[in-house]
Amino acid sequence: MSGSVRLFALSAVLAAVAGDLWAQRSIYTCVDGKGRRLTSDRPIPECMDREQKELNASGTVRKTVGPSLTAAERAVIEEQERKAAEERQRQSEEKRRERALLGRYPNQGVHDAERVKALNAVQEVIIAGHKRTQDLRDQRKSLEVEAEFYKKDPSKMPAKLRRSLDENEQMVSGQARFLANQEEEKRRVNAQFDQELVRLKVLWAQARGIPATAAAAPASAPTRQ
């Protein structure tokens, strides 16, 4: 290959490379705080507090460069983004719970039946608790009959009898607290099903295409125990 041919080939390669580099170069443009439109081949210092456009060599917008932020400004934006992410997560979790609730209670009949079942379970515990209380009271009467022999001189009462009386009194008090807790549990169960029913009425209505305002009307619940 002659020298002129080699020179021509090298010139063509250099021209192609230069063309590629030109096509890849960026042009930054913005309007500064004084209203002046500025242009540069690198980010413009006068516009660091505002938006800049990065253009291709053809003049089309490659991307928009946001303002440079201070540490405090960046912290505010990051906190806003964190809260937004938490809210998205909360909404996603709420949707998941709603789907699970609908899957468990497809209609009010199923929900009412589950309420009755839960209340019956607590009521059975309460009935057993009352029976236990009555047994303790009967035991107390027997102990008091035995203690009558020592009424004139309580100091002669056997330690075992005195201990049995004290234990009986403590167990009766414990049963009273237990029964009070079970009554509170019934109120808690009813309150939980009431809250679920309010939400379920809206979800059932949405599934049937009924407006939420109509779904919010009170609905009858099973008789409470």
Side-chain angles (χ1 to χ4, degrees):
M1 181 183 294
S2 66
S4 60
V5 173
R6 285 197 299 273
L7 181 60
F8 177 79
L10 179 60
S11 299
V13 170
L14 292 174
V17 171
D20 289 341
L21 292 174
W22 173 260
Q24 293 174 11
R25 71 188 296 269
S26 296
I27 301 172
Y28 293 85
T29 180
C30 69
V31 177
D32 69 5
K34 298 179 180 179
R36 299 175 301 175
R37 177 166 294 281
L38 305 177
T39 303
S40 176
D41 60 353
R42 64 196 65 191
I44 304 170
E46 292 86 350
C47 290
M48 297 303 285
D49 62 339
R50 62 195 60 238
E51 184 181 275
Q52 302 185 47
K53 295 186 183 303
E54 182 180 351
L55 309 179
N56 295 309
S58 62
T60 59
V61 177
R62 175 179 294 171
K63 65 180 180 179
T64 298
V65 181
S68 298
L69 304 175
T70 65
E73 291 171 337
R74 190 176 298 108
V76 170
I77 291 178
E78 289 175 353
E79 177 65 13
Q80 292 172 342
E81 291 175 346
R82 183 187 66 79
K83 289 182 177 179
E86 288 179 351
E87 178 61 18
R88 289 193 297 271
Q89 177 65 25
R90 186 196 66 78
Q91 292 178 0
S92 177
E93 182 63 20
E94 180 66 18
K95 291 295 183 182
R96 186 194 65 77
R97 287 196 296 266
E98 288 177 352
R99 288 194 297 270
L101 200 60
L102 274 176
R104 184 175 182 182
Y105 304 117
N107 56 62
Q108 187 168 346
V110 175
H111 189 257
D112 290 347
E114 189 70 16
R115 182 199 293 259
V116 171
K117 180 180 177 181
L119 290 174
N120 284 344
V122 179
Q123 187 62 28
E124 288 177 4
V125 174
I126 291 175
I127 292 172
H130 281 302
K131 184 178 184 303
R132 174 60 177 159
T133 299
Q134 187 58 50
D135 291 342
L136 289 170
R137 286 173 179 167
D138 292 342
Q139 182 189 56
R140 181 76 181 188
K141 290 178 181 179
S142 298
L143 292 171
E144 287 176 346
V145 169
E146 187 177 350
E148 280 292 325
F149 292 105
Y150 309 98
K151 188 173 183 180
K152 292 182 179 180
D153 189 0
S155 64
K156 295 183 179 180
M157 182 183 296
K160 181 179 179 181
L161 177 58
R162 191 183 304 277
R163 188 164 56 251
S164 295
L165 285 166
D166 290 342
E167 289 175 352
N168 179 275
E169 182 177 358
Q170 291 173 6
M171 286 189 289
V172 169
S173 297
Q175 278 298 113
R177 291 192 297 271
F178 173 78
L179 290 170
N181 289 338
Q182 292 306 305
E183 290 295 338
E184 179 60 31
E185 176 65 8
K186 283 176 62 175
R187 288 189 286 272
R188 187 197 67 77
V189 169
N190 266 316
Q192 175 185 328
F193 277 89
D194 286 344
Q195 291 174 359
E196 286 179 349
L197 185 57
V198 170
R199 186 57 187 154
L200 280 166
K201 283 163 54 183
V202 175
L203 296 175
W204 291 327
Q206 289 175 345
R208 299 194 302 271
I210 300 174
T213 52
S220 60
T223 301
R224 301 190 179 195
Q225 300 182 30

